[in-house]
């Protein structure tokens, strides 16, 4: 009963976090677009961060902007996105615009000297990703005698910032991964066929939306981008743009010989709900001391471990999640040929959860701030502010990670014989 009450209380606080006193000079954020994702992604998380204020928002419809600001307690509205970028009091911008607009507005924001928190997928394709993250626009020259460092830019791969992800990865050895599979579903009633996710020109498609998660997951599990996408099947809606995939199922080959699979559906049936990741390692020789239950191991024998790690609900772990580590052990003769029967086998498994860094038990990370009700977005905001303030950021999505995610998505589209999303014409850097 106590556990159920704790879960209910935690989930109530997810949407009703305590409002904290703000610092003397907090970072002021502007939001480009009155997006549905913004309350969960930054507005609510900002309530419990002492160094963040959501100061202003702009949208195409002024009336909508004012209603949005009033509903979410945003003190100011701007007439345009440009007005936010030109406002010297605004330190950071959050960009939740349609995918096809990410690149141009992120570049403009960086040029204006604003720190950028950019919704995923970061951009439309690999070309844009390389331009944005590997050679971003430089801020305009400053008259200050001590110029500030370049503004920060972060793709909002928020799931990577939660303690549960770190705990999961602490049981994964990328070089030893034999196979991995990740899936992500959206119930069929959430998005209509007229949703921007089915608009090709705006960067629509299931691989662009859900694939930004699943492709990123695979690159982190294997520690690199795939060598090739071997197959990719997709399906579309009959009454939507046939260049925009509704669902996908892709298989990749990685440099260590492992295979990664990912699948997603923007209109999934009811029995497909919980996002999941499953990783199977290659059989690995380990120290017998790591395998309790091995008993006496002879001098001519070795202990082999095959590990599987499963992570349920990796996208919204604050609501609930579980990490199951299953180990299969075998004692065999050293150098035995494949297929040789072991002398002894046994299994062990454990289920783990972590809602705070302290609960992970991971050395060097336990002292990080965090509350059980903090969402992935709140943990992400903590690190974004750390980066902007020039502090240590134990969790971060490097630009090369964002580029690799787009490479994976582009590989899948090519394998599926679907066109890549259009590249934005390069803006002048002058």
């Amino acid at each position: 009963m106590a556990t159920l009450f704790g879960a209910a209380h935690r989930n109530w606080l997810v949407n009703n976090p305590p409002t904290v006193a703000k610092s003397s000079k907090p970072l002021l954020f502007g939001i480009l677009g009155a997006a549905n994702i913004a309350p969960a992604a930054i507005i609510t998380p900002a309530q419990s961060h002492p160094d963040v204020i959501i100061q202003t928002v702009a949208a195409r419809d002024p009336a909508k902007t004012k209603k949005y600001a009033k509903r979410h307690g945003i003190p100011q509205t701007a007439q345009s996105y440009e007005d936010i970028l030109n406002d010297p009091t605004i330190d950071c911008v959050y960009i939740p615009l349609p995918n096809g607009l990410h690149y141009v507005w992120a570049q403009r924001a960086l040029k204006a000297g604003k720190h950028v928190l950019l919704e995923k997928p970061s951009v439309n394709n690999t070309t844009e990703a390389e331009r944005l993250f590997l050679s971003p626009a430089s801020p305009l020259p400053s008259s200050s005698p001590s110029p500030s460092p370049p503004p920060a830019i972060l793709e909002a791969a928020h799931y990577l910032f939660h303690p549960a992800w770190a705990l999961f990865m602490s049981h994964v050895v990328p070089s030893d991964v034999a196979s991995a599979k990740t899936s992500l579903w959206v119930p069929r009633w959430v998005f209509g066929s007229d949703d921007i996710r089915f608009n090709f020109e705006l960067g629509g498609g299931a691989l662009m939306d859900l694939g930004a998660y699943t492709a990123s997951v695979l690159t982190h599990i294997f520690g690199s981008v795939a060598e090739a996408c071997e197959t990719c099947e997709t399906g579309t809606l009959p009454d939507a743009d046939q260049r925009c995939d509704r669902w996908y199922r892709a298989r990749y080959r990685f440099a260590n010989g492992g295979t990664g699979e990912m699948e997603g559906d923007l209109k999934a049936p009811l029995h497909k709900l919980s996002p999941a990741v499953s990783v199977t390692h290659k059989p690995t020789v380990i120290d017998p001391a790591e395998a309790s239950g091995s008993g006496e191991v002879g001098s001519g024998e070795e202990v082999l471990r095959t590990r599987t790690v499963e992570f349920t609900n990796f996208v919204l772990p604050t609501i609930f999640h579980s990490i199951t580590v299953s180990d299969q052990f075998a004692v065999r003769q050293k150098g035995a040929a494949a297929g040789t029967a072991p002398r002894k086998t046994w299994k062990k498994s454990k289920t783990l959860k972590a809602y705070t860094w302290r609960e992970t038990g991971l050395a060097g990370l336990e002292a990080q701030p965090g509350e059980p009700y903090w969402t992935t977005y709140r943990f992400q905001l903590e690190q974004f502010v750390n980066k902007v303030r020039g502090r240590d950021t134990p969790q971060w999505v490097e630009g090369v990670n964002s580029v690799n995610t787009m490479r994976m998505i582009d590989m899948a589209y090519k394998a599926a014989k679907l066109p890549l999303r259009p590249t934005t014409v390069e803006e002048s850097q002058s």
Side-chain angles (χ1 to χ4, degrees):
M1 184 63 70
T3 301
L4 289 175
F5 175 78
H9 186 243
R10 182 182 70 248
N11 282 289
W12 185 82
L13 287 172
V14 164
N15 296 309
N16 302 276
T19 300
V20 300
K22 300 299 180 179
S23 65
S24 60
K25 198 173 187 303
L27 296 172
L28 301 185
F29 278 69
I31 301 177
L32 306 191
N36 292 333
I37 188 62
I42 195 166
I43 295 173
T44 299
Q47 293 177 23
S48 63
H49 199 301
D51 206 18
V52 173
I53 288 179
I54 307 303
Q55 184 68 20
T56 186
V57 61
R60 290 173 299 172
D61 182 344
K64 180 181 179 181
T65 306
K66 291 180 180 179
K67 289 181 181 178
Y68 189 90
K70 183 178 180 180
R71 183 186 318 127
H72 297 296
I74 301 174
Q76 296 178 355
T77 60
Q79 292 298 310
S80 67
Y81 305 150
E82 288 93 342
D83 285 348
I84 291 180
L85 300 188
N86 292 332
D87 185 342
T89 69
I90 298 301
D91 304 292
C92 314
V93 294
Y94 168 60
I95 304 179
L97 296 167
N99 304 336
L101 301 177
H102 285 185
Y103 175 81
V104 64
W105 286 106
Q107 288 281 39
R108 290 175 182 177
L110 293 172
K111 192 172 183 178
K114 309 301 184 188
H115 303 282
V116 176
L117 180 57
L118 181 62
E119 262 307 328
K120 75 214 139 318
S122 57
V123 288
N124 260 4
N125 54 49
T126 302
T127 297
E128 288 190 350
E130 290 176 342
R131 289 177 183 171
L132 181 61
F133 293 102
L134 304 185
S135 55
S138 300
L140 292 174
S142 171
S143 58
S144 171
S146 302
S148 300
I153 180 169
L154 174 67
E155 180 185 15
H158 56 95
Y159 77 95
L160 293 170
F161 292 82
H162 196 275
W165 178 261
L167 182 58
F168 165 73
M169 284 300 297
S170 73
H171 291 86
V172 174
V173 181
S175 60
D176 292 339
V177 173
S179 64
K181 183 175 182 179
T182 180
S183 56
L184 184 55
W185 321 105
V186 176
R188 62 179 61 189
W189 65 81
V190 175
F191 303 126
S193 59
D194 59 346
D195 189 89
I196 59 171
R197 288 164 179 80
F198 300 109
N199 184 318
F200 179 81
E201 299 301 330
L202 290 179
L207 275 163
M208 294 292 291
D209 192 276
L210 306 181
Y213 287 97
T214 57
S216 170
V217 164
L218 291 180
T219 62
H220 282 83
I221 287 173
F222 284 94
S224 67
V225 69
E227 289 187 327
C229 180
E230 297 180 331
T231 63
C232 182
E233 301 174 74
T234 60
T236 60
L237 287 176
D239 54 344
D241 192 323
Q242 296 303 291
R243 296 172 296 178
C244 286
D245 46 312
R246 188 209 87 186
W247 62 266
Y248 63 87
R249 185 164 51 247
R251 186 178 74 246
Y252 297 88
R253 184 184 71 254
F254 287 83
N256 72 343
T259 58
E261 297 180 34
M262 67 181 200
E263 55 183 335
D265 193 338
L266 288 170
K267 284 186 158 300
L270 287 177
H271 69 277
K272 293 183 175 181
L273 288 179
S274 181
V277 185
S278 178
V279 177
T280 300
H281 291 79
K282 303 169 185 175
T284 305
V285 176
I286 62 170
D287 187 326
E290 298 180 48
S292 58
S294 61
E296 190 70 26
V297 177
S299 60
E301 294 181 319
E302 60 188 7
V303 178
L304 210 61
R305 181 184 69 196
T306 304
R307 169 166 288 179
T308 299
V309 191
E310 297 179 336
F311 187 175
T312 300
N313 203 21
F314 70 95
V315 174
L316 299 171
T318 306
I319 307 303
F320 75 92
H321 69 271
S322 67
I323 301 167
T324 303
V325 182
S326 302
D327 290 332
Q328 181 170 321
F329 300 96
V331 177
R332 69 176 188 183
Q333 288 294 315
K334 289 182 178 178
T340 302
R343 176 175 66 80
K344 179 182 179 181
T345 62
W346 71 101
K347 297 179 180 179
K348 291 186 66 176
S349 67
K350 57 184 177 181
T351 299
L352 309 169
K353 296 181 182 181
Y355 294 95
T356 64
W357 290 107
R358 179 179 57 80
E359 292 174 335
T360 67
L362 298 174
L365 299 179
E366 298 167 288
Q368 288 189 80
E371 299 292 338
Y373 65 83
W374 279 19
T375 63
T376 52
Y377 295 106
R378 178 59 180 83
F379 282 105
Q380 174 181 259
L381 184 60
E382 188 75 12
Q383 297 306 319
F384 184 77
V385 171
N386 284 343
K387 177 68 77 171
V388 172
R389 292 300 195 192
R391 298 191 288 260
D392 184 39
T393 52
Q395 295 81 43
W396 193 251
V397 181
E398 300 292 347
V400 67
N401 298 134
S402 296
V403 172
N404 284 345
T405 295
M406 286 313 307
R407 285 173 177 160
M408 296 279 285
I409 292 172
D410 282 1
M411 281 186 210
Y413 274 131
K414 290 176 181 177
K417 294 183 170 42
L418 286 175
L420 303 186
R421 276 54 195 153
T423 299
T424 305
V425 175
E426 188 78 60
E427 291 201 319
S428 170
Q429 299 291 306
S430 62

